[in-house]
Amino acid sequence: MTRQTKTVLLSADCIPVEGLRRSFIYDLGRNSVVVIPNSLCEILIKYNGFPYRKLLHEYRDQAQIIQDYYKLLLDNECLIRTNQDKCFTSLSNTFKSPLHINNIIIDVDRLSVHDFHKIACDIEELGCSYLLIRCFSLNNKNEIEDILKHFEDSRLRNITIIVPYDLKFTKSDIRHILRIVPSLCDMFISGAPVNKKYEEIGANVRYIKRKIDDETCCGIIDRMSFRVNYKFFFESNSFNNCLYKKVSIDKRGKIKNCPSAPVSFGHISTCSLKEAVQKKGFTDLWYIKKDDIKKCKDCEYRYMCLDCRIYITDPHDPFSAPAKCNYNPCTNKWQKKSIL
């Protein structure tokens, strides 16, 4: 058929990623993946942009396999068939952010004495976009409102808050909280009897059974947290996708890369966030990407999986595997029981 004489190109937003035993095509336009064998991944990397007829000739002893692969990619709309392949360019794999800090985490419990007015001013100075507030335990639900009021006029694009179920928020309480801060986009209520989700005033309200009651709840790797999109893919190729351009304040006010990190770069009562992130060593973990990490570099999920450099199998080796990952890329199996 004449169409088979055309050059066969992978769509620019369909990117093959090889794992130890199988591969994925990351379809960044559709936020999904196509599972493929490693043999096909190798062909796509080596022969992308190769005329289909010549490809069949190269693999003339395996022509039926090539035709089956071809059909698989066509069925998943991953291919472009063209006689003008020079008109198509690949995506740039560079990741850039104009902000020095993108993300901030603040942990709070009953013993926390954070000066939220100062913290809000520090966040404005950094021009940060995303804020996560994790409330592990509070004396009453009015404290949530007291915290959020400090951010009602901020430039933050997205605020997420996690609160405990035992504070017994009603739908009326939740509506009231969401009205305080327009940029509050997600509210998680942890330790709930069932998982459920609904939308309220343009924000997502999610009840989750999992109890988030301290900082050790970080670092859990599971399929529920996977992300397939342009930003996350290219960030994961170049930087640590959890800690890059992130600063955290733990429940005692210590400024860290992550609330669970052992190293502190100052206390929020005596040090500004801007001063802390400029200290020597603060950005060291930002540049440990998935292709540098033991186990992760062999995993087909690596560019959709949020990495943790705090809970690792060897605390003395920053490139060791995440301790809370229960996936085995050697077998493509998830452990039935959590390793936590």
Side-chain angles (χ1 to χ4, degrees):
M1 297 174 62
T2 56
R3 76 171 73 177
Q4 294 179 345
T5 65
K6 294 182 177 181
T7 295
V8 178
L9 286 170
L10 269 176
S11 176
D13 53 8
C14 291
I15 303 176
V17 173
E18 188 172 10
L20 193 63
R21 291 176 57 90
R22 67 176 180 179
S23 300
F24 287 162
I25 293 177
Y26 282 63
D27 189 337
L28 303 180
R30 292 186 174 88
N31 309 117
S32 62
V33 296
V34 179
V35 182
I36 60 172
N38 281 353
S39 55
L40 175 54
C41 186
E42 292 168 6
I43 292 171
L44 292 174
I45 292 171
K46 185 175 181 180
Y47 293 104
N48 189 34
F50 209 69
Y52 182 70
R53 180 176 291 173
K54 289 186 178 180
L55 184 60
L56 284 175
H57 180 73
E58 286 285 316
Y59 288 88
R60 50 190 173 275
D61 295 333
Q62 303 172 14
Q64 186 59 54
I65 294 175
I66 295 298
Q67 290 171 6
D68 291 343
Y69 284 167
Y70 185 70
K71 184 177 186 304
L72 170 68
L73 296 177
L74 285 177
D75 289 346
N76 285 279
E77 299 181 320
C78 295
L79 286 183
I80 298 170
R81 296 169 297 184
T82 179
N83 287 324
Q84 299 178 342
D85 55 293
K86 292 182 180 179
C87 295
F88 295 89
T89 59
S90 59
L91 292 174
S92 170
N93 61 0
T94 57
F95 177 83
K96 296 180 181 179
S97 170
L99 304 176
H100 187 57
I101 293 294
N102 283 329
N103 303 283
I104 294 182
I105 297 177
I106 305 173
D107 282 353
V108 186
D109 69 5
R110 287 191 180 93
L111 300 179
S112 300
V113 288
H114 298 333
D115 182 345
F116 277 99
H117 174 72
K118 178 183 182 302
I119 292 172
C121 291
D122 282 5
I123 290 174
E124 287 297 294
E125 184 180 15
L126 289 174
C128 182
S129 294
Y130 301 98
L131 169 63
L132 168 62
I133 303 171
R134 302 189 299 186
C135 300
F136 301 136
S137 61
L138 295 174
N139 295 308
N140 59 71
K141 54 191 174 186
N142 293 331
E143 293 181 58
I144 302 294
E145 181 177 344
D146 294 338
I147 292 170
L148 289 173
K149 278 183 176 178
H150 293 283
F151 304 101
E152 58 184 336
D153 297 320
S154 76
R155 291 182 293 169
L156 288 160
R157 291 174 52 194
N158 183 303
I159 298 176
T160 297
I161 191 165
I162 301 172
V163 299
Y165 179 78
D166 57 19
L167 288 180
K168 295 182 169 50
F169 282 93
T170 65
K171 281 198 171 185
S172 177
D173 293 330
I174 292 171
R175 288 191 201 102
H176 177 66
I177 289 170
L178 292 172
R179 288 192 179 101
I180 294 172
V181 185
S183 53
L184 182 57
C185 299
D186 292 280
M187 183 171 181
F188 290 84
I189 301 170
S190 77
V194 295
N195 292 320
K196 66 177 181 178
K197 173 184 172 181
Y198 69 94
E199 190 172 306
E200 186 73 67
I201 317 179
N204 293 314
V205 179
R206 308 182 192 195
Y207 288 80
I208 55 175
K209 293 170 69 175
R210 181 177 155 219
K211 197 167 186 178
I212 301 174
D213 52 7
D214 63 25
E215 66 279 1
T216 62
C217 296
C218 267
I220 298 172
I221 295 172
D222 58 42
R223 285 166 285 190
M224 296 296 292
S225 61
F226 284 173
R227 310 172 193 174
V228 181
N229 58 55
Y230 292 97
K231 177 184 178 297
F232 198 74
F233 182 88
F234 291 117
E235 183 177 19
S236 301
N237 270 266
S238 301
F239 304 103
N240 183 272
N241 60 29
C242 181
L243 298 177
Y244 181 62
K245 295 200 173 185
K246 176 181 285 181
V247 62
S248 302
I249 302 170
D250 76 4
K251 60 192 178 186
R252 298 295 167 258
K254 294 180 180 179
I255 304 171
K256 302 177 175 181
N257 291 114
C258 165
S260 294
V263 179
S264 167
F265 294 88
H267 194 281
I268 192 61
S269 63
T270 56
C271 178
S272 73
L273 293 176
K274 185 175 182 179
E275 290 170 338
V277 301
Q278 291 174 341
K279 289 185 178 180
K280 183 179 179 180
F282 188 89
T283 63
D284 288 356
L285 295 176
W286 288 8
Y287 303 99
I288 299 178
K289 56 188 183 296
K290 283 301 188 78
D291 289 329
D292 301 326
I293 299 168
K294 296 168 185 176
K295 182 179 177 180
C296 296
K297 62 185 178 182
D298 295 324
C299 182
E300 65 274 22
Y301 288 108
R302 62 188 178 273
Y303 302 133
M304 68 175 82
C305 172
L306 193 66
D307 181 46
C308 179
R309 290 296 86 208
I310 307 304
Y311 295 103
I312 53 180
T313 53
D314 181 357
H316 302 292
D317 180 4
F319 300 98
S320 62
K324 297 185 181 183
C325 174
N326 61 7
Y327 180 70
N328 187 346
C330 297
T331 62
N332 303 137
K333 300 290 185 182
W334 292 85
Q335 294 179 10
K336 291 183 179 179
K337 292 183 179 180
S338 171
I339 61 173
L340 301 182

